[in-house]
């Protein structure tokens, strides 16, 4: 999840900086790597077969498949909103807007899955939200030269809409796990992500067909500033690394919660900002440094709270049993 969150936006922005213009293509790349998930599924199937006895080829039930279809279409829409915004905004500004998703994730998690908050998780949300505000106050100098106000604000609102929609999707994924009416395992989580990735890609493929993106790819590759070969290499690695992001996110929800996934995303935002400074020479202000420190503080607060909660749940051994010689 860390690799996908930190690196994928940089590759997508590089595509636009070096001459790429196809918004539906760039949104399509965010989930087009879904066939890669057949690799872990095949390994899991072989492992189950090795245990002996009959083995189902897949674990997903029809109602769960339908739920993942709807989630996949929502993810496809979110992909387009995000890609559209990033085509007009620097990575740093996009990251600022995406970081607002944490507050919305906390709200939706409370409403949809009745997320229980502790003082530590509330502290983490507050710290990360303050960091997002600080980044926003220092974003005025990030507007690309020569870009019209109309396009800049279109990108601004599209990215903000993407943040809100994804904050809504995360608790829905957690709710789907809870309502699955079957044992949710690693294999089932990967199956669910595969279905979501497939239908998100179908959604973006329709957009590409309407926009004639498939016909434009060869021409765009020839005119790409980094060369034709690097153009296709960039597309392939974008698809791979975005899968890292999505698989990591559903894994964080499965092993933790939607709120945990939102916190990790918010923590990684300043790291993406630092990488944008290194590779794209975007300005790094003192505000970004403060936001990075607050992000790390917020993450430490959250995990410290989880550590204390886990200690409370550990069974306590009766000292009398130890005194009497019983284990």
């Amino acid at each position: 999840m860390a690799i996908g969150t930190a690196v994928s936006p940089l590759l997508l922005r590089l595509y636009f900086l070096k001459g790429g213009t196809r918004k539906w293509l760039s949104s399509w790349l965010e989930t087009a790597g879904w066939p890669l998930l057949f690799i872990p599924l095949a390994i899991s199937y072989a492992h189950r077969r090795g245990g002996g006895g009959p083995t189902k080829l897949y674990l997903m039930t029809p109602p769960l498949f339908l739920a993942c279809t709807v989630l996949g279409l929502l993810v496809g829409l979110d992909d387009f909103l995000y890609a559209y915004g990033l085509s007009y905004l620097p990575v740093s500004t996009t990251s600022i807007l995406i970081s607002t998703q944490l507050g919305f994730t906390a709200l939706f998690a409370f409403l949809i899955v009745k997320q229980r908050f502790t003082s530590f998780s509330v502290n983490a949300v507050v710290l990360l939200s303050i960091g997002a505000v600080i980044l926003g106050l220092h974003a005025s100098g990030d507007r690309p030269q020569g870009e019209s106000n109309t396009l800049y604000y279109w990108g601004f609102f599209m990215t903000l809409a993407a943040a809100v929609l994804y904050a809504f999707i995360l608790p829905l994924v957690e709710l789907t796990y809870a309502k699955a009416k079957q044992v949710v395992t690693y294999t089932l989580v990967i199956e669910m992500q595969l279905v979501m990735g497939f239908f998100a890609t179908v959604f973006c493929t329709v957009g590409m067909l309407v926009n004639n993106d498939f016909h434009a790819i060869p021409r765009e590759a020839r005119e790409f500033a980094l060369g034709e070969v690097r153009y296709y290499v960039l597309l392939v690695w974008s698809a791979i690394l975005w899968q890292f992001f999505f698989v990591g996110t559903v894994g964080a929800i499965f092993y933790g919660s939607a709120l945990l996934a939102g916190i990790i995303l918010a923590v990684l935002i300043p790291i993406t900002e630092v990488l944008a400074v290194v590779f794209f020479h975007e300005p790094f202000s003192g505000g970004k440094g403060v936001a990075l420190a607050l992000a790390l503080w917020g993450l430490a607060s959250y995990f410290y709270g989880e550590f204390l909660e886990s200690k409370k749940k550990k069974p306590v051994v009766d000292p009398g049993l130890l005194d009497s010689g019983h284990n």
Side-chain angles (χ1 to χ4, degrees):
M1 185 178 178
I3 294 171
T5 303
V7 180
S8 298
L10 300 178
L11 293 181
L12 196 56
R13 182 58 182 167
L14 180 64
Y15 164 79
F16 289 115
L17 286 175
K18 299 303 179 180
T21 60
R22 318 306 294 191
K23 299 175 183 62
W24 279 109
L25 169 61
S26 55
S27 61
W28 182 84
L29 290 172
E30 294 179 41
T31 50
W34 63 267
L36 294 170
L37 299 181
F38 281 116
I39 298 173
L41 285 177
I43 295 172
S44 176
Y45 179 75
H47 179 71
R48 298 199 310 272
R49 283 289 298 271
T55 303
K56 289 184 177 180
L57 185 61
Y58 57 89
L59 305 179
M60 185 176 296
T61 60
L64 192 55
F65 179 86
L66 180 60
C68 291
T69 299
V70 175
L71 286 171
L73 295 175
L74 289 176
V75 170
L77 174 60
D78 189 74
D79 289 345
F80 175 72
L81 294 174
Y82 180 79
Y84 191 101
L86 192 59
S87 66
Y88 295 118
L89 300 178
V91 173
S92 54
T93 305
T94 302
S95 299
I96 293 164
L97 295 173
I98 291 297
S99 64
T100 62
Q101 61 82 31
L102 178 60
F104 293 109
T105 299
L107 173 62
F108 290 135
F110 175 76
L111 296 175
I112 295 174
V113 295
K114 304 297 186 287
Q115 172 71 47
R116 187 177 64 86
F117 289 91
T118 66
S119 59
F120 294 97
S121 59
V122 170
N123 184 52
V125 171
V126 170
L127 288 171
L128 290 162
S129 299
I130 292 174
V133 171
I134 291 174
L135 287 174
L137 294 175
H138 293 81
S140 58
D142 284 345
R143 183 179 304 181
Q145 293 183 353
E147 186 170 289
S148 68
N149 289 337
T150 301
L151 291 177
Y152 181 84
Y153 286 115
W154 261 114
F156 185 96
F157 289 115
M158 285 288 201
T159 306
L160 186 60
V164 175
L165 179 56
Y166 202 64
F168 181 63
I169 291 172
L170 293 179
L172 285 182
V173 173
E174 184 176 352
L175 181 65
T176 303
Y177 292 157
K179 301 294 185 180
K181 294 183 179 179
Q182 63 184 112
V183 178
V184 180
T185 62
Y186 163 84
T187 301
L188 185 59
V189 170
I190 298 298
E191 285 184 8
M192 291 172 62
Q193 178 53 39
L194 187 146
V195 173
M196 287 189 285
F198 172 77
F199 281 100
T201 306
V202 168
F203 180 90
C204 295
T205 300
V206 173
M208 289 183 67
L209 291 171
V210 172
N211 204 42
N212 292 320
D213 279 13
F214 287 106
H215 295 291
I217 289 175
R219 175 183 54 79
E220 191 172 73
R222 291 191 297 269
E223 298 172 357
F224 197 62
L226 297 178
E228 188 171 355
V229 174
R230 287 190 176 92
Y231 175 85
Y232 290 111
V233 170
L234 178 62
L235 298 191
V236 170
W237 275 105
S238 293
I240 292 173
L241 290 172
W242 275 113
Q243 275 309 298
F244 278 48
F245 165 75
F246 282 109
V247 173
T249 301
V250 296
I253 296 173
F254 173 55
Y255 289 109
S257 64
L259 180 62
L260 173 61
I263 285 175
I264 295 174
L265 283 171
V267 168
L268 293 169
I269 293 301
I271 296 176
T272 304
E273 297 252 347
V274 172
L275 294 176
V277 170
V278 174
F279 293 106
F280 297 150
H281 306 293
E282 293 182 3
F284 187 82
S285 62
K288 292 179 181 179
V290 172
L292 178 60
L294 288 174
L296 296 175
W297 183 10
L299 182 67
S301 173
Y302 178 84
F303 279 109
Y304 182 67
E306 290 298 301
F307 170 72
L308 293 180
E309 287 295 312
S310 66
K311 287 187 68 176
K312 291 179 183 178
K313 295 176 183 177
K314 286 183 178 180
V316 178
V317 178
D318 187 347
L321 294 177
L322 295 177
D323 292 340
S324 60
H326 294 287
N327 291 325

